């Protein structure tokens, strides 16, 4: 497979990049903020590969990139204020967090099981060309390994991710060079989750005062009442490292089931593949979170690769919850 960052002077291989995305592979591409690592947002598998390629220790939600407002409206519920911001700042470095529509086709893994989705319309011509050629939403975090700085040149993407990307579209240096501003409009008060390419003052000029989340990763990762969307964790308890289920437990499998133990109600991955397991994780938790089950028992999952992120999520789901 070619892992080429083509020079900015040759015509950009947009069709080839879209073909890679269609095949579930990952593509590096420029946006006006930083270079992104794109995958088919409607494919659990492609989204799991993004987390794997970045070596993310946990499943934090990804920004879904779209060609225009029309495409975004198919995925999330727009409020009048969201509409005004989109009209003013899109295409551009502004990400809006809005409630997922019931018929939203985006992978649950891409929003880490949340019932909100972060959407953005980038203005970079290559990003626009790719989004239109692919004609599906593209899940796109920055194209760096976890914990490293965001790439602003195609060469950075290649040195960060090597052959984990099928192709890198080279658009030269990114204009803005810092990430998009992330504004959460799904809460009671508009809340700034991450400062970025659109200034807070510019948003306040439209909305009036907006709140800031004291610590974004914290407020997303740890549900605090009224702050977080529901469906982040199952409503029934979760038991980890289970070697056998009790009769009233849902039995979530990973790899081969020990002899004499009943077959799992659902398998994350029969072959013990963490990428496959990650792809199925959120849908599996949702589907087992129902009567007659009173708890979900999960077979042990080794920490290797995406196993660490899967266990991180399961541990949070298993932790005692206030009021529960
Ligand atoms: P990156 O993956 O580096 O582009 O960062 C994406 C940012 O958007 C992170 O700060 C995420 O936590 C935030 N984000 C994405 N989706 C959501 C969501 N549904 N709710 C809250 N924050 C989100
Ligand atoms: Mg990043």
């Amino acid at each position: 497979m070619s892992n080429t960052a083509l020079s900015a002077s040759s015509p950009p291989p947009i069709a080839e990049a879209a073909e890679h995305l269609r095949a579930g592979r990952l593509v590096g591409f420029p946006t006006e903020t930083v270079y992104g690592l794109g995958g088919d947002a409607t494919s659990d598998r492609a989204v799991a590969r993004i987390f794997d390629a970045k070596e993310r220790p946990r499943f934090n939600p990804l920004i879904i990139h779209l060609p225009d407002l029309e495409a975004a409206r198919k995925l999330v519920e727009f409020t009048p204020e969201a509409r005004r911001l989109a009209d003013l700042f899109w295409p551009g470095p502004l990400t809006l967090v809005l409630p997922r529509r019931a018929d939203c086709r985006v992978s649950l893994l891409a929003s880490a099981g949340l019932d909100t989705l972060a959407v953005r319309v980038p203005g970079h011509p290559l990003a626009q060309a790719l989004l239109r050629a692919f004609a599906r939403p593209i899940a796109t975090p920055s194209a760096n390994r976890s914990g490293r700085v965001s790439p602003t040149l195609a060469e950075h993407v290649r040195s960060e991710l090597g052959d984990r990307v099928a192709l890198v579209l080279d658009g030269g240096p990114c204009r803005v060079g810092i990430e998009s501003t992330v504004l959460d409009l799904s809460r009671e008060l508009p809340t700034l989750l991450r400062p970025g390419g659109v200034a807070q003052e510019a948003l306040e000029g439209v909305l009036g005062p907006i709140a800031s989340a004291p610590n974004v990763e914290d407020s997303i990762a740890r549900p605090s009442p009224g702050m977080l969307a529901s469906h982040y964790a199952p409503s029934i308890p979760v038991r980890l490292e289970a070697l056998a289920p009790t009769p009233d437990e849902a039995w979530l499998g990973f790899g081969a089931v020990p002899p004499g133990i009943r077959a799992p109600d659902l398998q994350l991955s029969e072959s013990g593949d963490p990428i496959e397991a990650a792809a199925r994780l959120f849908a599996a938790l949702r589907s087992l979170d129902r009567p007659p089950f009173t708890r979900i028992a999960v077979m042990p999952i080794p920490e290797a690769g995406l196993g660490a992120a899967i266990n991180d999520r399961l541990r949070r789901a298993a932790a005692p919850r206030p009021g529960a």
Side-chain angles (χ1 to χ4, degrees):
M1 192 185 304
S2 64
N3 171 32
T4 40
L6 288 125
S7 88
S9 55
S10 54
I14 300 293
E16 192 186 337
E19 205 41 58
H20 283 304
L21 290 175
R22 245 167 248 128
R25 290 188 282 265
L26 308 182
V27 163
F29 67 96
T31 75
E32 65 273 44
T33 59
V34 300
Y35 273 77
L37 174 64
D40 181 352
T42 67
S43 158
D44 290 321
R45 196 70 196 223
V47 172
R49 286 211 181 109
I50 292 177
F51 288 104
D52 188 52
K54 283 183 65 92
E55 296 174 18
R56 275 204 171 165
R58 65 177 56 147
F59 298 120
N60 33 10
L62 306 177
I63 297 171
I64 308 305
H65 287 59
L66 299 151
D68 51 35
L69 173 65
E70 263 337 284
R73 288 180 57 187
K74 294 194 176 126
L75 306 181
V76 289
E77 308 279 1
F78 270 77
T79 56
E81 57 189 8
R83 184 60 206 256
R84 273 162 65 211
L85 291 176
D87 286 341
L88 282 167
F89 295 103
W90 281 358
L94 176 65
T95 296
L96 299 176
V97 174
L98 292 165
R100 280 174 82 110
R101 280 175 51 148
D103 60 353
C104 178
R105 308 181 292 142
V106 168
S107 159
L108 278 178
L109 183 61
S111 53
L114 293 168
D115 56 13
T116 55
L117 200 63
V119 291
R120 171 162 111 84
V121 172
H124 195 288
L126 284 184
Q128 276 288 329
L130 181 62
L131 283 159
R132 285 173 199 284
F134 183 48
R136 262 184 244 166
I138 305 180
T140 318
S142 50
N144 51 284
R145 294 199 194 193
S146 188
R148 315 267 293 258
V149 293
S150 300
T152 52
L153 286 173
E155 294 89 279
H156 297 163
V157 182
R158 276 197 302 176
S159 62
E160 279 287 308
L161 297 170
D163 60 7
R164 297 166 188 202
V165 276
L167 182 148
V168 182
L169 294 173
D170 190 345
C174 296
R175 185 174 58 79
V176 178
I178 55 167
E179 284 88 350
S180 62
T181 302
V182 181
L183 183 70
D184 188 346
L185 292 175
S186 72
R187 309 179 186 210
E188 225 156 289
L189 272 184
T191 304
L192 188 72
L193 297 183
R194 178 175 78 185
V198 171
Q200 178 166 351
E201 291 79 358
L203 299 174
E204 288 184 326
V206 182
L207 298 178
I210 59 183
S212 302
N215 180 336
V216 185
E217 293 311 331
D218 254 32
S219 77
I220 294 169
R222 268 176 244 143
S224 54
M227 288 279 280
L228 237 233
S230 52
H231 300 300
Y232 198 59
S235 65
I236 57 176
V238 175
R239 185 166 68 92
L240 304 182
E241 313 271 338
L243 301 177
T246 62
D248 58 339
E249 280 180 331
W251 182 218
L252 183 56
F254 180 85
V257 179
I261 304 298
R262 80 169 148 95
D265 296 295
L266 270 181
Q267 252 296 1
L268 286 174
S269 171
E270 203 127 19
S271 62
D273 170 10
I275 295 184
E276 181 176 41
R280 291 183 181 161
L281 179 66
F282 288 101
L285 289 176
R286 283 194 185 211
S287 90
L288 296 178
D289 186 11
R290 60 175 167 84
F293 303 127
T294 57
R295 188 159 61 185
I296 302 172
V298 191
M299 280 177 66
I301 299 170
E303 287 281 314
L306 274 188
I310 295 172
N311 284 325
D312 170 77
R313 169 94 316 270
L314 288 171
R315 261 182 240 116
R316 286 162 200 271
R321 268 164 263 161

